[in-house]
Amino acid sequence: MEGSGQSGESAENLNGTNQNPLPPIVFRADTNAVFGTEGYGLDVSAGQITITAQAGPGYFYAVQTLRQLLPPAIEYSGTLPYALSVASVRIRDHPRFEWRGAMLDVSGHFFGPADVKRYMDLMALYKLNRLHLHLSDDQGWRLEIPGRPALTDIGARTQVGGGEGGYYTLAEWDDLVAYAASRNITIVPEIDMPGHTNAALASIAELNCDGRRTEPYTGIDVGFSSLCVDREETYAFVDDVVREIAQRSPGAYFHVGGDEVTTLSATEYNAFMDRAAEIVARHGKLFMAWDGVAETRMTLPPGAVIQVWRPQTADTGQHLVDAVSRGARLILSPADRIYVDMKYDASSRLGLRWAGFNDTRDAYDWDPATLVSGVPDSAILGVEAPLWTETAETIRDLEWLAFPRLPGVAEIGWTAHERRDWTTYRTRLAAHGPRWDVLGINYYPSPLVF
Ligand code: TNX
């Protein structure tokens, strides 16, 4: 958008009133590498559109920006009965953060490959580049694992509210990974452990300390389940799961969850997480987990990434500062800002409210640099907007929760803080409504914006 995404450095409309019928598009190599791998130049004049980039992502993002400079009708498929035109501009653009993510919880409610692809299409429009898939939780196991058929025969057949659930076959997973790559998105797999594991515990008896399978769970309580950390079978299981997923996922990170464990002692938790971290490293991936790991004395492996989700106050960040001093980097997903599964306000039919209401302005109007005091900018890898799906059942529900908040997260990830402000953003955002109508996005017409 002229906003989400545009203008890390400069964007000037050379002649806003001068609309050019669509001239030829020339792609040039940025041989001096001034834009970085994700940056680009876009020059539109009467005679030519020139896109300059160093690498694939830069070209891709230039095209997304050009898309946004064209009228919403560009989003119709088929031939238009009139010529399109585009204003003259000169844009030099690159992102603030390398990690500009969205998380989709496909465990609470299952979303099939077509829905996940649709979500990726909408992410790509706003230059988001990481899709974190929360693939397992108490309510459902969502990916076929060779040699562990019970996970999908039993664990995949449930979801919140008792519906039928579902899972991705290996072929569907490979297809999602390839689809993501074609939009410059890396899929980040998460298998949440040792808690949030009832779907696995209901499938495989040996993961339980008493050796008996649990009952399937379709409610929305958290914190009650844990793998049996004293059994070797547990680590054989973690090894199988991490190995199979790691070898089918090209991204650098494997997310092991680690959140909301209430049934283990700190010693048990640390011992489990140390072994999980060792397994992740052995299968060639970097360790990623929710912020609970920063409060423990587990050994953070080199390259560890911690996803900050709990709302921060002036005094809550010390354990994160310590983790950063031990080499960790942070991804920021503050629940009271960018959990897009929170209600917008009291009128929202969908959404939870444990972190308060997150209206469109709350989601946009904050600076990653000051969220956790004492953490330097260099330790912040980026931002990510989680969408938990206790209340979301269909792609239309996902769209309603994500729009208009998700484009704001994209702009936080892309644009320097000094170049952002709510008042101008809101006007630019409102201009995207007609585009979303053409794309068929079921967005929330927030009174703060429209
Ligand atoms: C907290 S965020 C959770 C999830 C819930 C979510 C709902 C996190 C690491 N844990 O288990 O689904 O709240 O907003």
Side-chain angles (χ1 to χ4, degrees):
M1 67 195 302
E2 290 208 57
S4 208
Q6 182 176 303
S7 89
E9 284 189 345
S10 66
E12 45 186 302
N13 191 334
L14 295 182
N15 183 350
T17 53
N18 183 6
Q19 296 281 318
N20 308 301
L22 220 52
I25 304 178
V26 174
F27 291 85
R28 288 230 166 94
D30 168 21
T31 44
N32 298 322
V34 290
F35 299 126
T37 50
E38 293 195 299
Y40 64 89
L42 174 61
D43 295 275
V44 178
S45 65
Q48 184 169 297
I49 296 175
T50 309
I51 288 174
T52 312
Q54 181 188 328
Y59 291 110
F60 183 80
Y61 294 142
V63 171
Q64 301 318 308
T65 296
L66 182 58
R67 228 175 130 180
Q68 293 176 19
L69 293 171
L70 287 162
I74 189 70
E75 303 296 347
Y76 284 115
S77 46
T79 315
L80 292 170
Y82 52 88
L84 290 174
S85 62
V86 59
S88 298
V89 284
R90 174 192 151 84
I91 293 171
R92 299 289 175 267
D93 199 8
H94 66 85
R96 174 176 182 192
F97 291 117
E98 135 186 8
W99 188 295
R100 304 178 303 280
M103 188 213 80
L104 186 59
D105 165 21
V106 295
S107 180
H109 282 96
F110 179 62
F111 293 86
D115 291 344
V116 177
K117 288 180 178 178
R118 162 82 170 170
Y119 206 65
M120 287 198 266
D121 287 345
L122 303 182
M123 288 170 62
L125 180 59
Y126 293 102
K127 307 184 181 86
L128 291 164
N129 65 357
R130 298 286 188 282
L131 176 64
H132 165 183
L133 286 176
H134 184 75
L135 290 166
S136 67
D137 211 306
D138 293 320
Q139 298 87 354
W141 184 280
R142 303 304 181 206
L143 181 60
E144 178 184 1
I145 303 293
R148 298 281 184 174
L151 290 170
T152 38
D153 289 347
I154 300 169
R157 287 172 182 255
T158 42
Q159 62 181 1
V160 168
E164 70 180 21
Y167 65 94
Y168 311 118
T169 64
L170 294 176
E172 286 170 337
W173 179 257
D174 293 346
D175 181 50
L176 286 175
V177 166
Y179 192 89
S182 71
R183 282 151 183 74
N184 283 299
I185 293 171
T186 302
I187 293 188
V188 182
E190 179 190 353
I191 297 294
D192 204 344
M193 58 180 99
H196 288 278
T197 40
N198 192 70
L201 298 170
S203 307
I204 301 175
E206 308 83 70
L207 301 179
N208 296 275
C209 288
D210 66 1
R212 302 161 107 133
R213 297 196 279 124
T214 58
E215 291 298 316
Y217 182 72
T218 59
I220 64 167
D221 287 343
V222 297
F224 60 87
S225 58
S226 177
L227 300 172
C228 185
V229 298
D230 300 327
R231 280 185 173 243
E232 275 313 300
E233 289 93 330
T234 292
Y235 302 96
F237 166 78
V238 172
D239 192 76
D240 284 351
V241 168
V242 174
R243 182 186 64 248
E244 294 298 331
I245 298 176
Q247 81 193 15
R248 286 182 176 79
S249 305
Y253 294 91
F254 193 101
H255 198 311
V256 297
D259 57 313
E260 298 180 314
V261 182
T262 60
T263 60
L264 298 178
S265 69
T267 311
E268 289 171 320
Y269 178 89
N270 289 349
F272 174 86
M273 290 308 270
D274 282 343
R275 288 192 70 175
E278 182 274 316
I279 291 168
V280 167
R282 184 147 43 77
H283 295 299
K285 298 295 179 193
L286 296 172
F287 175 93
M288 177 167 174
W290 298 104
D291 60 27
V293 295
E295 283 171 11
T296 74
R297 290 189 318 282
M298 75 163 287
T299 318
L300 289 170
V305 163
I306 295 175
Q307 186 166 13
V308 179
W309 64 279
R310 280 175 288 192
Q312 298 297 306
T313 66
D315 346 291
T316 50
Q318 194 50 48
H319 58 282
L320 295 169
V321 174
D322 291 346
V324 164
S325 71
R326 290 185 279 149
R329 286 193 292 169
L330 308 182
I331 287 169
L332 305 181
S333 303
D336 55 345
R337 292 287 183 179
I338 59 171
Y339 262 39
V340 296
D341 64 309
M342 291 300 123
K343 290 177 183 284
Y344 290 90
D345 59 31
S347 74
S348 296
R349 182 181 61 82
L350 295 173
L352 300 176
R353 55 167 303 179
W354 66 263
F357 297 128
N358 289 347
D359 70 30
T360 310
R361 181 172 184 168
D362 295 324
Y364 178 81
D365 210 357
W366 61 283
D367 182 6
T370 56
L371 183 79
V372 186
S373 36
V375 167
D377 237 34
S378 57
I380 301 172
L381 195 54
V383 289
E384 184 175 296
L387 207 179
W388 300 93
T389 58
E390 284 91 340
T391 69
E393 297 181 45
T394 65
I395 182 70
R396 295 193 52 82
D397 293 347
L398 299 182
E399 290 170 4
W400 191 87
L401 289 163
F403 284 80
R405 291 182 284 201
L406 191 61
V409 178
E411 183 158 301
I412 294 171
W414 192 281
T415 304
H417 187 66
E418 317 75 75
R419 298 182 67 94
R420 300 198 288 115
D421 82 280
W422 166 253
T423 317
T424 59
Y425 172 70
R426 168 190 164 179
T427 314
R428 291 181 288 116
L429 184 63
H432 280 240
R435 194 169 298 269
W436 298 344
D437 288 332
V438 176
L439 287 166
I441 301 175
N442 179 37
Y443 62 94
Y444 167 58
S446 166
L448 297 182
V449 180
F450 298 100

